[in-house]
């Protein structure tokens, strides 16, 4: 797509030399670590899930992306003091916020790879599911899978949030299912 004043006005403006440059006062302030991205006006709201955040704790840190290419938004520990998690123990960590979003979406909370590989701290059960109609404070269940006590400091990044569309199902009871080559082959049936 050709860059014009009309389709890039959201992030760009033409300077006195006729070159497109960053808006000095953009409508949406980019994250300071983001690389600059040009988003045409007609595309900026496509595939955007609106998530409303309510701070339960006034000074909590809301989720944010580490980089422009990050799929997940980092979730921060809302703690007054450090919390130590013993080996093979699960502790619910406060985030300090609640959310509201469209019921066509779900919030999925995943482990952060750095925290998992360096400290052995992961989201319990692998993924936490946040339903669209839940209005309480988010608590992230963190499990210490290592053999040593691990400490989480206030405002540490503890997990990452991804908002994804959900698919509604229509359950139909049937007497038979279509045959497949795999059939009833289950655990390990396709090889190691």
């Amino acid at each position: 797509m050709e860059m014009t004043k009309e389709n890039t006005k959201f992030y760009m403006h033409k300077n006195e030399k006729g070159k497109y440059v960053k808006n000095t006062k953009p409508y949406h302030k980019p994250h300071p670590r983001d690389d600059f991205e040009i988003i045409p006006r007609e595309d900026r709201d496509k595939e955007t899930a609106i998530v409303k955040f309510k701070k339960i704790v006034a000074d909590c840190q809301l989720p944010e992306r580490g980089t422009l290419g990050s799929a997940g938004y980092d979730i921060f520990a809302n703690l007054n003091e450090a919390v130590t998690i013993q080996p093979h123990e699960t502790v619910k960590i406060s985030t300090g916020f609640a959310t509201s979003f469209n019921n066509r979406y779900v919030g999925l909370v995943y482990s952060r790879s750095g925290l998992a590989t360096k400290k052995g701290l992961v989201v319990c059960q692998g993924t936490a599911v946040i339903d669209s109609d839940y209005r309480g404070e988010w608590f992230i269940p963190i499990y210490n899978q290592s053999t040593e006590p691990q400490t989480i400091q206030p405002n540490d990044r503890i997990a990452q949030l991804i908002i994804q569309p959900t698919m509604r199902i229509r359950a139909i009871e049937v007497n038979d299912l279509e045959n497949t080559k795999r059939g009833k082959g289950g655990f390990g049936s396709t090889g190691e």
Side-chain angles (χ1 to χ4, degrees):
M1 170 183 283
E2 181 184 350
M3 238 174 37
T4 67
K5 181 178 178 182
E6 290 72 34
N7 71 13
T8 57
K9 190 174 179 183
F10 182 67
Y11 280 106
M12 307 282 285
H13 73 274
K14 222 177 212 182
N15 67 13
E16 57 278 353
K17 296 180 181 177
K19 293 187 178 180
Y20 285 99
V21 296
K22 268 188 186 180
N23 272 339
T24 54
K25 296 180 181 177
Y27 174 74
H28 169 74
K29 183 179 178 184
H31 187 279
R33 287 180 282 183
D34 277 354
D35 298 321
F36 185 65
E37 178 183 26
I38 298 170
I39 300 176
R41 180 176 290 277
E42 65 271 15
D43 292 340
R44 72 176 182 226
D45 292 326
K46 290 180 183 174
E47 301 178 16
T48 299
I50 304 299
V51 180
K52 298 174 184 175
F53 289 91
K54 176 183 176 183
K55 287 189 173 185
I56 306 294
V57 179
D59 62 348
C60 76
Q61 191 165 350
L62 297 180
E64 62 182 37
R65 287 191 302 174
T67 67
L68 181 65
S70 298
Y73 286 71
D74 292 331
I75 297 174
F76 299 85
N78 179 58
L79 301 170
N80 293 323
E81 57 187 27
V83 170
T84 298
I85 305 175
Q86 298 301 320
H88 310 295
E89 179 184 32
T90 300
V91 174
K92 291 191 292 185
I93 304 294
S94 164
T95 64
F97 64 81
T99 57
S100 169
F101 49 89
N102 190 291
N103 66 6
R104 294 174 301 182
Y105 296 96
V106 62
L108 300 176
V109 179
Y110 295 97
S111 302
R112 296 190 66 252
S113 59
L115 201 59
T117 56
K118 294 174 185 174
K119 291 189 170 187
L121 296 177
V122 296
V123 173
C124 184
Q125 296 179 265
T127 306
V129 175
I130 308 296
D131 295 312
S132 64
D133 57 353
Y134 175 63
R135 294 295 179 269
E137 180 183 354
W138 286 29
F139 287 87
I140 310 301
I142 300 295
Y143 174 70
N144 181 359
Q145 62 185 4
S146 78
T147 56
E148 298 177 2
Q150 301 293 341
T151 301
I152 295 177
Q153 300 291 337
N155 295 318
D156 273 359
R157 295 178 295 165
I158 55 170
Q160 55 185 324
L161 164 67
I162 295 179
I163 300 289
Q164 291 186 322
T166 56
M167 179 68 70
R168 302 291 185 256
I169 68 167
R170 182 166 57 98
I172 301 172
E173 183 178 350
V174 297
N175 293 323
D176 293 301
L177 300 174
E178 301 83 5
N179 289 325
T180 66
K181 184 177 179 181
R182 180 174 181 169
K184 295 182 181 180
F187 301 101
S189 65
T190 59
E192 294 183 33

